[in-house]
Amino acid sequence: MVIFKYIEDVKYYLENKREEGFRIAFIPTMGALHNGHISLINEAKQAKPAGYNSAIAIPAKKLTVASIFVNPTQFNDKEDFEKYPVSGENDIQMLAEAGCDVLFMPQVTEIYPGGPDNIPTFEFGYLETVLEGAQRPGHFKGVGQVVARLLDIVQPDELYLGQKDYQQCMVLKDLIRQLGKEDTINLHISSTQREPDGLAMSSRNRRLTEPQRAIAALIYQCLVSIQAKQSTDKFELVQKECNDLLEEKGFSPEYISLADANNLELLTDFDSNRKMIVLIAAKLGNVRLIDNMLLN
Ligand code: PAF
């Protein structure tokens, strides 16, 4: 695996690889890697590159490129940023073992020379006003800002994101549209990787204390129970049941919401004519956890 810190160097390297016929699959991360990230690398390596033609003996070649950058502009909570886990050496080892080809690890000054105000931001309308957008003002502005910057540097053909951050996936799909790159970047959304008890893998999980970790999968159990009750119960009822259960066990739920999976329009009750998703955000101590499940 080749590691780059500077934009100029990674751009030069990738330009040459592109000229050699490589297609580029990009996996942006904030480090503190876990098997969810590694599954994105594996998926990127396994998926046939766009442009693959089985009639041609040599398929298009593919290069997997990961980035590690803890983006300060997407943290609305200073403490969350300061406590965001960092595990550089371990991350490098995990990526190398997974067969990642290129790692880009820039410093803040490389991504934001002259400060974040010098780098364009984007508007995501309704998506910025609900769920994560409402709970974390400015978060998606920061995500859009850094991902636009990274896409400009890496110029990928494929972008891999995890479904755990469902709303982020929708925001970045819209970013790709706003950048006019719908036809050049193939967006892959990969299913959430879970621990054996169902807890969605997340870098923040490592901040949970042992007793918190022991109950953290309750969020997943709530999602499963909501999915199971979609054709028998009112959403309001199962929402309250889950809210009460989470509170009883010491969580502070921020939202337990049902939405149209295509546009995140909030729904008051189950509607099997729509593609539905249920999304939960809850704090356990000072660790904020999110998860979601497609219902149908
Ligand atoms: O999901 C993340 O890890 C981050 O939001 C991303 C997409 C790498 C942008 O900083």
Side-chain angles (χ1 to χ4, degrees), residues 28-30 69 71 74 143 146-147 161 165 168 172:
T29 83
M30 296 205 300
F69 179 66
N71 173 36
Q74 71 187 74
V143 171
V146 77
V147 174
L161 301 170
D165 297 300
Q168 169 170 279
L172 295 181

Side-chain angles (χ1 to χ4, degrees), residues 138-185:
H139 168 63
F140 288 128
K141 278 249 152 18
V143 171
Q145 183 180 41
V146 77
V147 174
R149 183 96 172 102
L150 292 168
L151 293 179
D152 184 54
I153 296 163
V154 176
Q155 299 281 335
D157 303 288
E158 300 168 13
L159 176 65
Y160 287 80
L161 301 170
Q163 192 202 305
K164 186 179 83 69
D165 297 300
Y166 191 83
Q167 194 170 357
Q168 169 170 279
C169 294
M170 294 190 73
V171 162
L172 295 181
K173 188 173 175 201
D174 191 51
L175 176 74
I176 291 172
R177 182 192 60 78
Q178 291 189 44
L179 295 171
K181 289 180 183 269
E182 282 157 307
D183 295 336
T184 47
I185 301 181

